[in-house]
Amino acid sequence: DSSSIDKQVDSVCPYCGVGCQLTYQIKNDAIAYVEGRNGPSNQNRLCVKGRFGFDYVRHPARLTKPLLRKPGVPKALDPSFDPANPLSHFREASWDEALDVAAKGLMDIKARYGSQSLAGFGSAKCSNEEAWLFQKLVRTGFGNHNVDHCTRLCHASSVAALMECLGSGAVTASFMQALDADVVMLTGCNPAVNHPVAATFFKQAAKAGTEIIILDPRGQALDAYASLSVRFSPGTDVALFNAILQVIIAESLYDEAYIAAHTEGFESLKQSVAGSTPEAMSELCGVEPELIRDIARRYATADKAMIFWGMGISQHTHGTDNARCLISLALACGHTGRPGTGLHPLRGQNNVQGASDAGMIPMVLPDYQPVGDAQLRAAFEELWNTPLSDQPGLTVVEIMDAIHAGSVHGMYIVGENPAMSDPDLHHARAALGKLEHLVVQDLFVTETAQFADVILPASAWPEKDGSVTNTNRQVQRGRAALPLPGEAKPDWWIIQEIAKHFGLGWRYTHPQDVYAEMQQGMASLNHISWERLEREGSVTYPCPAEDAPGQDVVFSDAFPRAGGRAAFSPARPLPPDEPVDDDYPTVLTTGRQLEHWHTGSMTRRSRVLDALEPDAVASLSSGELHRLGVAPGEKLTITTRRGTITLAARVDSKIPDGMVFVPFAYAEAAANLLTNPALDPDGKIPEFKYAACRLTKE
Ligand code: SF4
């Protein structure tokens, strides 16, 4: 009943990278309900998370006071630990005491072991302003570039390929452009589950006549809208894409004029894929040669075509190669730079684009300026009035390895839950347990916070002012709708207090001050003032003028590389790091469900979402279950070389025989106890989408 509402506050959904705009309906300082707003990426639509995913904000387990670990309590994930009652392991402290212990512990490590001994994980749940402050603290306070976040586990390989080939890591066109495309190729993504409102645009496009082509080892709900849905063998992406490229070249379906005007390296691509005929690749990728030709012809002969991809492409040890192939496809056919064309890695988190742009990445400064470039570094040294290290920092998994190796001794983790999200959790958790000093800033005593020395109670998204940037490069304004509970504080304030202890003398009074500084260091935010965000709610970058809209489709004339040309970067098929064998004959793949977000800390504390999907399940084909002698609902055990979990089995006709899918949101059956930490050499992303496992009846 809207008449009983106290106030309405416009903001953005805190979950996925679609960035749906919404309105909180507030009653008695609580969210009564949420409605979709007419934002550019959602046009009033919301999915089940955006509508029902907010109970976590006022959950009884929400942290409202700083906590300090009690002396003598071991640092480990303790199965008897009750996160709703953390005081058994921790004691409450004042902010003064907690900040003092937090910062002094970190400073003491720096003094004893040197400036490379500290590291920071931020989160794509941070606003742009929080991300900026956090990376600035690590670079100027810790004195290194050991700052990373969940982009490393998400699209780091896509960004590496896009940077290399196009000179920019962001999408070349929004997903709304699908409405203008003749062909939309979806590969390694499952938008109906992971980007549900983007999926509605694909459905809309299909209904209006756009041809949808889906390439994936798994089936999905959008198959019903596809002209062609092709399942290929897991981990053989490059083989399939090279065969498609070979057909395009052999049948002269490429765009010669576009290639001549806008690219370099086509000859080396030609040579590289010459032997990858459909007949030669068919057995490896499990797709009939004629079907491969069909895919190639449909994509190449379309006037306007787009490619969308997700973690199925990026989360492999050959993830960067996978993305290089997709970029080659678009360049060969001239499918970028015009409306209805483009390359679009669908971003996972609501602010993974913005947190990356703002510099929460170890090898680059904000706006992807390489740390090793003295001239670019000097600009930030001047802006921050501090010398910066010239050595790129460590990535997420490398930081865990460095803890084991004894070179990193202290960490500050904001909003990230590596004790659930990192691959090979036994290794990651052992690393967290080894840290001499760990400061965690979060909403709950997460699995990671259970290893902390100090836990700082942070702010939830509906309590924050700030900006976020979605998958379409739309910078959007989030607004605080609720007061902070108890003594919880805004994240920017907490980071600033830690910085003050490091002697950095920051004096920001509001995220707006931070945004003003970001505009000095980030050309991508040119002409997108805070006032403009306040007024318009959403502005796409790059933006040519204060009074002009941002550019939805980029690279019409030139690419941001030397000479203005994009580069083809050929790739060769490589096997997965850990192929299946007689001992471990089944492919384990992991990911999200529609109802649950990442490590579950928010959605499993939201009543409706928890009611929809309360328990951990492993999804398999009926044939696979029959072979195991397990009935749906019965327990099965999954074992890899790194760990074992037991959970209920579910029949899923979309999963091929020989594969099992496990969501990673459930602490009681943590999928990442099983996953392989082997890294892609360029993107440094682990192979979450392929591990060899063994299934047994419990
Ligand atoms: Fe939120 Fe994404 Fe759902 Fe939109 S599609 S409501 S941004 S989770």
Side-chain angles (χ1 to χ4, degrees), residues 128-340:
N128 290 330
E129 296 73 26
E130 292 159 357
W132 175 272
L133 290 184
F134 188 69
Q135 58 89 34
K136 180 178 172 183
L137 168 66
V138 172
R139 298 183 202 282
T140 63
F142 293 5
N144 62 44
H145 300 289
N146 293 338
V147 58
D148 208 356
H149 73 296
C150 41
T151 190
R152 191 65 41 211
L153 311 175
C154 172
H155 266 305
S157 45
S158 308
V159 171
L162 288 164
M163 290 295 292
E164 174 193 349
C165 300
L166 307 189
S168 161
V171 301
T172 73
S174 75
F175 62 69
M176 293 87 79
Q177 290 296 327
L179 297 173
D180 204 15
D182 300 307
V183 165
V184 163
M185 185 186 284
L186 304 171
T187 182
C189 60
N190 188 356
V193 167
N194 296 315
H195 302 85
V197 169
T200 65
F201 284 80
F202 302 141
K203 292 177 188 174
Q204 220 180 320
K207 285 184 125 175
T210 299
E211 238 190 280
I212 308 281
I213 299 174
I214 298 177
L215 311 179
D216 205 289
R218 291 170 65 191
Q220 58 179 280
L222 286 180
D223 287 343
Y225 294 82
S227 321
L228 200 58
S229 185
V230 177
R231 301 198 192 177
F232 61 95
S233 305
T236 64
D237 317 64
V238 172
L240 175 62
F241 300 146
N242 276 357
I244 295 172
L245 282 163
Q246 194 277 340
V247 174
I248 289 171
I249 292 167
E251 299 188 4
S252 297
L253 303 177
Y254 52 90
D255 185 337
E256 218 169 335
Y258 182 89
I259 292 168
H262 297 292
T263 71
E264 60 192 29
F266 187 58
E267 280 308 313
S268 70
L269 179 82
K270 258 183 163 174
Q271 284 169 19
S272 170
V273 303
S276 298
T277 62
E279 282 69 19
M281 295 295 112
S282 173
E283 195 181 330
L284 185 56
C285 62
V287 183
E288 290 298 321
E290 268 319 294
L291 196 46
I292 295 175
R293 290 199 170 84
D294 191 13
I295 300 164
R297 290 168 191 154
R298 286 175 193 246
Y299 177 76
T301 59
D303 178 29
K304 294 175 284 182
M306 298 187 76
I307 303 177
F308 294 87
W309 72 93
M311 310 291 93
I313 291 295
S314 62
Q315 289 177 336
H316 285 283
T317 46
H318 51 268
T320 306
D321 279 345
N322 291 349
R324 285 177 177 128
C325 292
L326 297 176
I327 295 166
S328 289
L329 271 173
L331 294 177
C333 302
H335 287 329
T336 59
R338 292 175 290 129

Side-chain angles (χ1 to χ4, degrees), residues 494-510:
I494 306 172
I495 299 166
Q496 169 158 288
E497 290 302 308
I498 299 283
K500 283 181 183 168
H501 277 78
F502 272 82
L504 297 180
W506 296 357
R507 286 194 190 79
Y508 306 99
T509 60
H510 187 272

Side-chain angles (χ1 to χ4, degrees), residues 375-582:
Q375 207 179 337
L376 297 172
R377 205 171 58 245
F380 284 93
E381 289 176 329
E382 196 185 327
L383 178 64
W384 295 333
N385 199 22
T386 318
L388 298 174
S389 164
D390 60 359
Q391 291 305 308
L394 301 172
T395 60
V396 166
V397 177
E398 289 172 336
I399 288 170
M400 292 301 176
D401 290 342
I403 298 167
H404 281 294
S407 53
V408 167
H409 300 269
M411 280 194 78
Y412 181 15
I413 300 178
V414 174
E416 195 95 319
N417 191 7
M420 281 290 289
S421 59
D422 270 25
D424 190 7
L425 285 182
H426 288 304
H427 178 82
R429 290 174 181 176
L432 292 171
K434 257 180 126 169
L435 283 169
E436 285 180 40
H437 190 66
L438 173 60
V439 180
V440 173
Q441 180 170 318
D442 215 311
L443 306 181
F444 303 101
V445 185
T446 59
E447 290 74 14
T448 299
Q450 291 180 44
F451 290 89
D453 297 278
V454 185
I455 309 177
L456 304 173
S459 48
W461 179 240
E463 297 153 0
K464 289 182 187 191
D465 277 301
S467 64
V468 283
T469 307
N470 71 358
T471 190
N472 294 324
R473 292 182 268 101
Q474 290 160 327
V475 187
Q476 308 204 90
R477 177 80 162 87
R479 292 182 181 82
L482 298 173
L484 284 154
E487 294 176 24
K489 294 283 189 191
D491 289 78
W492 68 265
W493 181 91
I494 306 172
I495 299 166
Q496 169 158 288
E497 290 302 308
I498 299 283
K500 283 181 183 168
H501 277 78
F502 272 82
L504 297 180
W506 296 357
R507 286 194 190 79
Y508 306 99
T509 60
H510 187 272
Q512 187 174 355
D513 303 343
V514 183
Y515 189 84
E517 182 179 304
M518 291 170 68
Q519 282 204 290
Q520 292 178 53
M522 295 174 66
S524 61
L525 297 178
N526 284 351
H527 310 297
I528 308 178
S529 63
W530 185 268
E531 292 71 25
R532 195 171 170 189
L533 288 178
E534 193 68 48
R535 204 169 53 239
E536 298 177 33
S538 173
V539 184
T540 301
Y541 79 76
C543 184
E546 188 75 27
D547 57 358
Q551 272 180 274
D552 192 328
V553 178
V554 291
F555 313 144
S556 308
D557 303 325
F559 290 91
R561 293 180 81 249
R565 286 170 180 273
F568 287 98
S569 183
R572 295 208 169 274
L574 291 170
D577 179 73
E578 186 185 57
V580 291
D581 57 22
D582 289 346

Side-chain angles (χ1 to χ4, degrees), residues 12-22 41-42 45-51 194-198 348 350 594 597:
V12 185
C13 174
Y15 287 105
C16 90
V18 170
C20 295
Q21 292 194 3
L22 49 74
S41 68
N42 68 313
R45 303 162 206 166
L46 292 177
C47 80
V48 68
K49 289 190 290 291
R51 201 168 286 285
N194 296 315
H195 302 85
V197 169
N350 70 327
L594 170 63
W597 189 254

